[in-house]
Amino acid sequence: QQKEQWREVASELARAGPDEVIVVRVLQIAVPLRYYDPGGLPLEALEVNRRVASLQELASGHTGVWMVYWNAAADAHRVASSPPFDPDSEREPTARAWLLGQGPRLLEQHDFVGVTILRFEGPG
């Protein structure tokens, strides 16, 4: 049994520059990230209670965008078997376009147990 690696994710996000933004895919992700403090940058949520914000608006004016996806395990006792990050499961149109290479350039991808983070160039 392994725990989701929120501490490691927060440590990686702490590298974000002051002109970058961290966008969590769903608001629930903010809870463990706030606990481990990813360096004091504000966290923006793309989806809050099924209402989706505009990724373009959240990213506007930033030199980089860190997207955080939670790859939740179906069974909390089998976290180590969390499904791998699947970009094809993204349904929000702008985020999907970014994941498919039709947006800002992807600079980095880091896969942790239960969590994936992607760093994109700012939308310019």
Side-chain angles (χ1 to χ4, degrees):
Q1 178 173 336
Q2 278 185 292
K3 294 182 179 181
E4 293 167 337
Q5 294 181 301
W6 292 108
R7 180 187 321 266
E8 292 81 359
V9 168
S11 178
E12 191 65 33
L13 291 173
R15 294 184 30 241
D19 295 329
E20 295 185 307
V21 64
I22 299 170
V23 177
V24 296
R25 181 58 182 89
V26 293
L27 184 60
Q28 292 89 330
I29 294 172
V31 174
L33 285 183
R34 282 285 174 232
Y35 180 80
Y36 290 110
D37 184 22
L41 280 180
L43 300 176
E44 300 289 348
L46 187 60
E47 183 176 309
V48 180
N49 297 328
R50 302 285 182 226
R51 191 188 81 227
V52 177
S54 162
L55 181 55
Q56 279 303 119
E57 187 175 281
L58 295 174
S60 179
H62 296 282
T63 60
V65 179
W66 295 74
M67 297 275 295
V68 183
Y69 283 87
W70 184 19
N71 312 320
D75 180 348
H77 298 289
R78 295 178 168 216
V79 174
S81 65
S82 292
F85 175 66
D86 179 12
D88 286 333
S89 67
E90 178 60 75
R91 295 294 169 235
E92 195 283 320
T94 304
R96 183 173 176 76
W98 284 30
L99 294 175
L100 297 176
Q102 301 162 357
R105 184 168 59 109
L106 177 64
L107 301 173
E108 303 175 47
Q109 177 173 337
H110 302 277
D111 297 300
F112 298 94
V113 173
V115 185
T116 295
I117 58 176
L118 303 107
R119 181 178 175 228
F120 293 91
E121 283 184 337

